[in-house]
Amino acid sequence: WHYHGFKIIHGANWKIAFDGYLEGYHFSTAHKDTILPMTKQGIMDFSSFGPHLRIAFASTNINEIHELPKNEWWKKEGAGVDFVRTLFPNISISLGLGIGQIAQILPGKTPDTNTTILHYVAPEKPKNKEEIAELDHFMNFLRDVVNDEDYALGLEIQRGLDSNSKENVIFGKNERGNQFFHKYVDFFINEKITKPPIL
């Protein structure tokens, strides 16, 4: 893979930021003009590997996968099915749209902030100025989606939590990845929890 560059963005608490990488039901609210048109709403598959997750999202053109033998379905990543792979506790990897994004989410200087480094990789090194421009376009598109849509929503969530109007947060049935992540965080910081969570 070719390393194309990185962008740095800032947002809410690192766990709030990470929550956005763990489910896709928010696409219809946060990404109605960007990601939603490419994705079938409400269809997700979760696989866990210890504390790590792989989340699959069906693309609107998922039917193209059935034209291939099952052992070649992986060739349709980003064009039929999209995956977000998370490495506990703070790495998210998404490969598609002609470029891959690796998000490294770091706690900020205060508990209500984070710094995220978005790294961009491509399957091959660009051969000319046009291919460089195309990678730049995808890199800027993904950065804008994460910063202007996901992280803007995360800042609103942070403001709600900071109001102390609720003592607890409940994750719903569409938030299996979020439930799993937070149970693993609890497992590692709470000595009374003796068994790791199961997805």
Side-chain angles (χ1 to χ4, degrees), residues 92-109:
S92 169
I93 303 167
S94 177
L95 307 174
L97 293 175
I99 197 166
Q101 176 179 275
I102 302 167
Q104 184 180 15
I105 302 129
L106 305 170
K109 293 180 180 179

Side-chain angles (χ1 to χ4, degrees), residues 101-121:
Q101 176 179 275
I102 302 167
Q104 184 180 15
I105 302 129
L106 305 170
K109 293 180 180 179
T110 59
D112 59 342
T113 63
N114 88 79
T115 296
T116 299
I117 306 169
L118 300 170
H119 300 274
Y120 295 95
V121 295

Side-chain angles (χ1 to χ4, degrees), residues 44-155:
M44 293 171 279
D45 181 69
F46 297 85
S47 300
S48 63
F49 309 88
H52 317 294
L53 284 172
R54 181 184 61 218
I55 306 160
F57 303 96
S59 300
T60 53
N61 59 346
I62 193 169
N63 291 339
E64 293 177 18
I65 287 179
H66 295 290
E67 298 169 7
L68 294 173
K70 192 170 185 176
N71 65 346
E72 294 183 25
W73 284 6
W74 63 272
K75 293 179 181 179
K76 284 294 191 177
E77 183 164 351
V81 66
D82 293 305
F83 295 98
V84 174
R85 297 161 178 93
T86 60
L87 301 178
F88 186 87
N90 67 331
I91 304 290
S92 169
I93 303 167
S94 177
L95 307 174
L97 293 175
I99 197 166
Q101 176 179 275
I102 302 167
Q104 184 180 15
I105 302 129
L106 305 170
K109 293 180 180 179
T110 59
D112 59 342
T113 63
N114 88 79
T115 296
T116 299
I117 306 169
L118 300 170
H119 300 274
Y120 295 95
V121 295
E124 298 177 5
K125 185 175 181 177
K127 298 176 187 67
N128 52 49
K129 289 180 182 178
E130 290 78 17
E131 290 185 3
I132 292 172
E134 184 177 39
L135 289 178
D136 285 343
H137 167 76
F138 287 133
M139 181 172 65
N140 291 324
F141 171 78
L142 289 173
R143 180 259 177 216
D144 291 347
V145 166
V146 174
N147 188 68
D148 302 348
E149 297 175 4
D150 287 307
Y151 278 35
L153 183 58
L155 289 169

